């Protein structure tokens, strides 16, 4: 079983859990046994799409543990990522007599992971949960690091908690049958990971793009692992985003604004790809990256079907939408720039005019 441990020994925040990569769900019971959790009952939380694909396989993989396993199916889609749906999960867990020592499993993409994590963080003031991410985006980003929560009206992830899972179990085979738009959305977060901390990996993504797009197992395994290693290091250093963790938001200031204005009809990773292109252009204008580096960033977006432009939105609406983002601090935007590929930094000097200039370059 390939794995790494993500851990932190204080001050204040302590956690330690394994991120496991497998081909199949069969090793789930072994991975859970290694985590040595005290549960008697398990509730698998999934959505109406993933239920059909993997729920029975995951239940079968848990059977050797001889524990009671129930499941709760959320309606699929970001529009259901709200407190109403969380309340329904609480009601289900109460009805099934779930106690503090029992376990939730998030089986699905980022929405399921964030909602299950938030339920786990708040039900009985906190019960254990594990992540089984089934999309590229959730494997390379959202399942690792303990960000949980829901949207509030059009405000993305406005209500939530930092709450770490006790295990992340990834079956990378699921990536082979992922719909193409979901795959390219995940690539938005993959490219972001390389750009922010690991130039060598970013160049590897360029060199092995054919293998990645053909879903070659070795290429996918390497790609997912490298992203998780990058994320694990950042989260270990700054679990609650008091400092360096903000670099994981590369491409997200403008990306979230577009996502919101498009009413979540444009996939998250596509919005991040667009936001990254604009952030790269601003980095170039500030002479932090060369023209060749900017061209490479735009070219890799194209290679993986990520948009370098958006249509049917107004520049001013996008700028206004950035103001209600969580990345504001004291009236300033914590904008992430690229000070050379592999080295993202937090910048507090980006003005509305800077964003306007960048957006005008990338909108038609
Ligand atoms: N997705 C950004 C973070 O986990 O901090």
């Amino acid at each position: 079983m390939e794995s790494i441990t993500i851990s932190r020994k204080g001050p204040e925040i302590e956690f330690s859990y394994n991120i496991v990569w497998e081909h199949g769900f069969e090793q789930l019971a072994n991975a859970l046994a290694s985590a040595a959790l005290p549960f008697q009952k398990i509730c698998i939380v999934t959505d109406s799409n993933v239920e059909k694909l993997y729920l029975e396989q995951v239940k079968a993989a848990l059977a050797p543990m001889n524990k009671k396993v129930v499941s709760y199916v959320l309606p699929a889609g970001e529009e259901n990522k709200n407190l109403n749906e969380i309340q329904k999960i609480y009601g289900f867990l109460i009805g099934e007599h779930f106690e503090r020592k029992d376990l939730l499993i998030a089986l699905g993409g980022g929405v399921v992971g964030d909602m299950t994590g938030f339920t786990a963080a708040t039900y009985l003031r906190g019960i254990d949960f594990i992540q089984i991410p089934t999309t590229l985006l959730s494997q390379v980003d959202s399942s690792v690091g303990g960000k949980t929560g829901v949207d509030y009206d059009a405000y993305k992830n406005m209500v939530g908690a930092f709450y770490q899972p006790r295990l992340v179990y990834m079956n990378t085979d699921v990536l082979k049958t992922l719909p193409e738009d979901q795959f390219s959305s995940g690539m938005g977060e993959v490219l972001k990971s390389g750009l922010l901390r690991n130039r060598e990996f970013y160049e590897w993504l360029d060199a092995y793009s054919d293998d990645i797009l053909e879903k070659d197992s070795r290429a996918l395994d390497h790609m997912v692992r490298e992203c998780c290693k990058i994320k694990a290091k950042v989260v270990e250093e700054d679990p609650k985003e008091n400092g360096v963790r903000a670099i994981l938001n590369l491409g997200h200031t403008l990306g979230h604004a577009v996502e919101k204005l498009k009413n979540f009809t444009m996939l998250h990773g596509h919005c991040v790809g667009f936001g990254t292109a604009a952030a790269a252009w601003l980095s170039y204008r500030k002479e932090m990256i060369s023209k060749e580096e900017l061209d490479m960033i735009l070219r890799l977006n194209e290679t993986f079907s990520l948009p370098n432009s958006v249509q049917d939105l107004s520049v001013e609406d996008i700028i206004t939408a950035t103001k209600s983002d969580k990345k504001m601090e004291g009236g300033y935007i914590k904008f992430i720039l690229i000070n050379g590929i592999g080295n993202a930094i937090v910048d507090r000097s980006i003005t509305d005019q800077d964003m306007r200039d960048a957006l005008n370059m990338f909108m038609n």
Side-chain angles (χ1 to χ4, degrees):
M1 201 179 290
E2 283 282 343
S3 68
I4 59 167
T5 303
I6 167 169
S7 69
R8 178 178 161 113
K9 293 204 180 355
E12 291 172 28
I13 307 160
E14 297 207 4
F15 54 81
S16 180
Y17 55 95
N18 286 341
I19 304 169
V20 171
W21 298 282
E22 272 294 331
H23 293 276
F25 294 110
E26 291 78 10
Q27 293 305 317
L28 180 57
N30 284 340
L32 259 178
S34 304
L37 303 173
F39 61 89
Q40 290 303 319
K41 294 193 282 293
I42 300 173
C43 177
I44 304 170
V45 181
T46 189
D47 72 23
S48 44
N49 292 333
V50 179
E51 175 198 15
K52 297 182 202 96
L53 298 170
Y54 304 122
L55 182 58
E56 288 314 312
Q57 288 181 51
V58 169
K59 279 186 173 168
L62 291 169
M65 304 200 88
N66 285 322
K67 304 284 183 189
K68 180 174 176 182
V69 179
V70 296
S71 55
Y72 184 87
V73 181
L74 289 159
E78 179 89 28
E79 65 275 22
N80 300 303
K81 189 177 168 182
N82 56 46
L83 288 170
N84 285 345
E85 293 298 331
I86 298 287
Q87 285 205 26
K88 292 181 199 165
I89 311 177
Y90 294 148
F92 179 78
L93 295 175
I94 292 167
E96 293 286 342
H97 307 292
F98 267 65
E99 298 174 4
R100 191 173 276 157
K101 284 186 171 169
D102 289 327
L103 180 72
L104 301 189
I105 295 183
L107 173 66
V111 172
V112 168
D114 285 7
M115 292 178 74
T116 310
F118 184 68
T119 307
T122 48
Y123 182 72
L124 296 175
R125 298 199 179 89
I127 68 172
D128 289 337
F129 86 112
I130 71 163
Q131 294 267 16
I132 307 184
T134 58
T135 60
L136 181 57
L137 189 138
S138 57
Q139 293 200 354
V140 298
D141 186 49
S142 61
S143 65
V144 174
K147 275 192 180 174
T148 75
V150 291
D151 303 334
Y152 186 85
D153 290 339
Y155 298 99
K156 197 169 159 69
N157 299 331
M158 216 33 155
V159 178
F162 286 101
Y163 194 70
Q164 301 290 339
R166 305 300 301 257
L167 168 74
V168 185
Y169 182 99
M170 303 192 190
N171 169 7
T172 54
D173 280 353
V174 301
L175 304 178
K176 297 190 172 196
T177 50
L178 208 58
E180 282 308 320
D181 61 341
Q182 290 283 342
F183 190 83
S184 75
S185 171
M187 287 308 299
E189 297 284 4
V190 171
L191 292 175
K192 179 203 83 174
S193 303
L195 270 176
L196 64 90
R197 266 292 162 93
N198 190 334
R199 181 179 190 112
E200 199 184 322
F201 175 53
Y202 195 72
E203 287 172 350
W204 179 90
L205 292 166
D206 190 17
Y208 284 83
S209 59
D210 287 346
D211 291 356
I212 295 165
L213 290 168
E214 282 163 21
K215 317 277 161 53
D216 172 78
S217 281
R218 285 177 53 162
L220 292 181
D221 286 354
H222 178 73
M223 182 174 88
V224 173
R225 277 178 213 160
E226 287 306 304
C227 291
C228 290
K229 284 181 196 164
I230 291 166
K231 179 139 190 197
K233 267 196 178 164
V234 175
V235 170
E236 284 172 344
E237 203 179 322
D238 177 24
K240 289 205 169 174
E241 203 170 303
N242 292 317
V244 71
R245 185 168 180 166
I247 65 172
L248 297 173
N249 295 327
L250 174 61
H252 284 61
T253 299
L254 294 171
H256 272 171
V258 167
E259 196 173 4
K260 184 157 76 174
L261 292 170
K262 290 269 182 189
N263 287 322
F264 301 101
T265 55
M266 191 168 155
L267 292 177
H268 177 70
H270 293 160
C271 299
V272 169
F274 168 75
T276 301
W281 184 83
L282 284 167
S283 309
Y284 166 66
R285 197 167 73 163
K286 284 184 172 279
E287 299 182 358
M288 291 177 174
I289 59 171
S290 66
K291 180 74 170 62
E292 289 69 34
E293 288 176 306
L294 173 63
D295 289 345
M296 182 182 188
I297 293 166
L298 300 182
R299 179 168 56 74
L300 274 186
N301 261 6
E302 278 172 22
T303 301
F304 293 108
S305 304
L306 293 159
N308 284 332
S309 66
V310 289
Q311 289 80 38
D312 307 325
L313 291 181
S314 102
V315 168
E316 294 310 317
D317 285 351
I318 297 178
I319 292 172
T320 304
T322 62
K323 308 293 179 217
S324 53
D325 200 83
K326 298 188 300 311
K327 289 174 277 298
M328 294 292 287
E329 198 175 74
Y332 290 95
I333 286 191
K334 285 193 282 175
F335 205 98
I336 313 305
L337 295 176
I338 308 157
N339 195 12
I341 288 178
N343 184 29
I345 55 158
V346 182
D347 183 283
R348 289 181 174 77
S349 70
I350 293 294
T351 62
D352 285 0
Q353 190 55 44
D354 288 327
M355 286 194 280
R356 196 170 287 123
D357 293 345
L359 290 167
N360 280 326
M361 291 293 296
F362 292 101
M363 289 179 65
N364 47 35

